[in-house]
Amino acid sequence: MKATPHIKPMNDVEIAETVLLPGDPLRAKFIAETYLEDVQQFNTVRNMFGYTGTYKGKKVSVMGSGMGIPSIGIYSYELIHTFGCKKLIRVGSCGAMQDHINLYDVIIAQGASTDSNYVNQYQLPGHFSPIASYHLLEKAVAKARDNGTTYHVGNILSSDIFYNADETASKRWMRMGILGVEMESAALYMNATYAGVEALGIFTVSDHLIREEFTTPEERERAFTDMIEIALSLA
Ligand code: HPA
């Protein structure tokens, strides 16, 4: 059985070509137990839990990615290059950066701008635009529309900095139409693109960077289910 420094599959459990990547490994456990059938755990290294099961008869895996670009950079690289994953779908939360976006809306990340230097490894003679797989994007949008989910499609920010000393930075990103901020998708999109596989990030809005608003557990649950149903429909 193949293994990497961070993923050591147990009991010969295979990792599916489609893998959902929430940041929190306990979210991975919850998604596996709630939405998948015939679930088996494949990873416990660093408590970054990973599971494989089926959704409507299709094999799907779900594994924590950890927080931030270095962490998802490691896990997605190993999933692609050692375990043959072909569709990597980040499911997470983000902070809204536009007035017309509300708490619990779904954001589908067409592009992932970033303040990270992750792209430097490719030594490109210019500025690269990390973008989603159009095929996955199109399918996710169709599913969101069918489900009657309130969704937005566009550019997000994958930031290296949660507590930014520069308090004006987010205003400048807002001016460029960034819909929301999270901390992982740009690396996922770059790893996937460089390897010739597909990736997409889907988010629920958990907080608002313009308005002070609060979430309730019931509404979080509904929005979360909307997002997971869209993600699982891509398997
Ligand atoms: N910043 C960064 N990542 C996030 C946020 C945020 O405000 N909300 C959810 N993920």
Side-chain angles (χ1 to χ4, degrees):
M1 193 75 186
K2 292 172 196 156
T4 65
H6 310 97
I7 307 173
K8 301 196 190 303
M10 314 178 305
N11 310 321
D12 289 335
V13 177
E14 286 187 14
I15 304 176
E17 285 198 356
T18 300
V19 54
L20 267 57
L21 294 163
D24 179 353
L26 290 177
R27 267 294 157 85
K29 183 170 192 278
F30 177 80
I31 293 166
E33 288 172 353
T34 310
Y35 301 95
L36 303 185
E37 291 176 60
D38 306 319
V39 173
Q40 288 182 291
Q41 186 163 13
F42 68 78
N43 196 55
T44 58
V45 179
R46 286 179 182 252
N47 286 331
M48 198 56 84
F49 305 139
Y51 306 84
T52 298
T54 59
Y55 179 75
K56 298 189 175 167
K58 290 190 180 136
K59 211 164 126 182
V60 181
S61 293
V62 52
M63 180 177 173
S65 70
M67 285 189 287
I69 279 175
S71 187
I72 199 167
I74 290 168
Y75 289 110
S76 60
Y77 187 95
E78 293 179 359
L79 288 168
I80 294 166
H81 293 277
T82 301
F83 299 102
C85 295
K86 302 269 187 256
K87 290 185 203 173
L88 297 97
I89 303 154
R90 167 158 157 69
V91 284
S93 62
C94 72
M97 294 178 82
Q98 298 293 329
D99 247 331
H100 69 280
I101 297 176
N102 295 309
L103 293 183
Y104 315 112
D105 287 1
V106 165
I107 293 179
I108 304 174
Q110 180 180 15
S113 296
T114 188
D115 53 23
S116 147
N117 290 327
Y118 198 81
V119 73
N120 291 2
Q121 64 181 304
Y122 307 110
Q123 300 190 45
L124 299 166
H127 301 274
F128 179 72
S129 302
I131 58 167
S133 147
Y134 181 71
H135 170 241
L136 293 183
L137 179 73
E138 193 183 29
K139 277 182 83 171
V141 170
K143 179 71 178 172
R145 196 185 290 126
D146 282 356
N147 284 0
T149 302
T150 304
Y151 68 93
H152 310 269
V153 181
N155 208 348
I156 61 154
L157 172 65
S158 299
S159 181
D160 273 348
I161 311 165
F162 191 87
Y163 299 107
N164 200 331
D166 177 358
E167 290 171 8
T168 66
S170 62
K171 285 215 167 57
R172 296 198 295 278
W173 287 111
M174 288 172 192
R175 187 74 183 73
M176 292 304 286
I178 295 294
L179 302 179
V181 57
E182 52 85 70
M183 308 187 77
E184 292 83 16
S185 296
L188 177 65
Y189 286 6
M190 287 187 241
N191 275 355
T193 301
Y194 195 72
V197 301
E198 297 186 290
L200 181 67
I202 310 172
F203 306 90
T204 56
V205 174
S206 60
D207 50 278
H208 213 293
L209 272 68
I210 304 172
R211 303 190 291 272
E212 209 174 300
E213 292 175 340
F214 303 95
T215 61
T216 67
E218 298 75 30
E219 285 181 292
R220 274 204 298 271
E221 180 76 26
R222 180 196 47 73
F224 185 77
T225 299
D226 285 353
M227 171 180 70
I228 298 299
E229 281 181 359
I230 295 168
L232 286 170
S233 76
L234 305 174

